[in-house]
Amino acid sequence: MDTTIVLLAVAIQLMIAFITDIRHQTISNWLTGTSFAVGLLYHGLAGGMGAQGWLYSAAGAAAGFLPLLILYAFGGIGAGDVKLFGALGAWIGAVMIAQLMMYAILYAGAFGVLLLLFNRAFAKRMAALLSIANPGAVRTFSWFDWAQSGKSFPFMLAVLPAAVTVWMIG
């Protein structure tokens, strides 16, 4: 198995998913379905049917898909995120997809804490304090407009830094 091919395939998938999740709040089935099938095919051809091939890929897909399916059932993430993790698991295997999942959930939790800290009331108090200290320094917080529009948090905002973390660790 050539790790360069795997990393390139995963990087392309993540970038496409990130862009579409931010712009349209969706991750398309063509991306996840194609990625899953090509990941299985690649590992099957590169490693055969055994632990380094098709079974490695299938176990990774299951490890990415099944735990996030539970989060989806409780309304925590979208179906596209679930399918994306299954597809990514087909490429990187069960151990790495578990690491990616763990870091993505930690990053999402950190973003959640930040959003709680910077809720509208807190932002108004901070803006008032800033305007007293420096009247020209107050800017509008456009992300509050985003939150009030009813849009949900794009999980890819947590997945992308999680992928970088997994890649940097090793």
Side-chain angles (χ1 to χ4, degrees):
M1 164 176 69
D2 186 0
T3 56
T4 305
I5 292 172
V6 172
L7 289 176
L8 184 62
V10 168
I12 290 169
Q13 292 169 63
L14 286 171
M15 292 310 299
I16 294 170
F18 180 82
I19 291 167
T20 59
D21 197 22
I22 298 300
R23 286 189 179 169
H24 309 290
Q25 287 199 305
T26 186
I27 298 171
S28 68
N29 289 336
W30 71 262
L31 174 66
T32 56
T34 303
S35 174
F36 171 73
V38 174
L40 283 174
L41 180 65
Y42 172 77
H43 285 291
L45 292 173
M49 297 297 286
Q52 296 300 316
W54 187 83
L55 287 177
Y56 170 86
S57 187
F65 184 83
L66 295 174
L68 291 184
L69 188 60
I70 296 167
L71 283 176
Y72 169 74
F74 288 105
I77 60 173
D81 299 313
V82 177
K83 293 179 277 185
L84 178 68
F85 269 77
L88 290 171
W91 280 96
I92 62 176
V95 172
M96 283 190 74
I97 199 67
Q99 291 173 343
L100 179 61
M101 196 178 315
M102 178 191 68
Y103 285 113
I105 290 169
L106 288 174
Y107 278 112
F111 282 126
V113 168
L114 288 175
L115 288 173
L116 286 175
L117 289 175
F118 293 101
N119 66 24
R120 191 168 196 65
F122 181 78
K124 282 184 178 180
R125 285 191 299 258
M126 290 305 294
L129 286 173
L130 287 173
S131 67
I132 292 169
N134 186 1
V138 178
R139 297 183 339 187
T140 59
F141 295 99
S142 61
W143 61 327
F144 294 117
D145 297 333
W146 165 73
Q148 286 181 332
S149 71
K151 293 181 178 178
S152 61
F153 175 79
F155 191 48
M156 287 304 297
L157 286 175
V159 174
L160 200 57
V164 171
T165 302
V166 170
W167 177 71
M168 300 275 295
I169 289 173

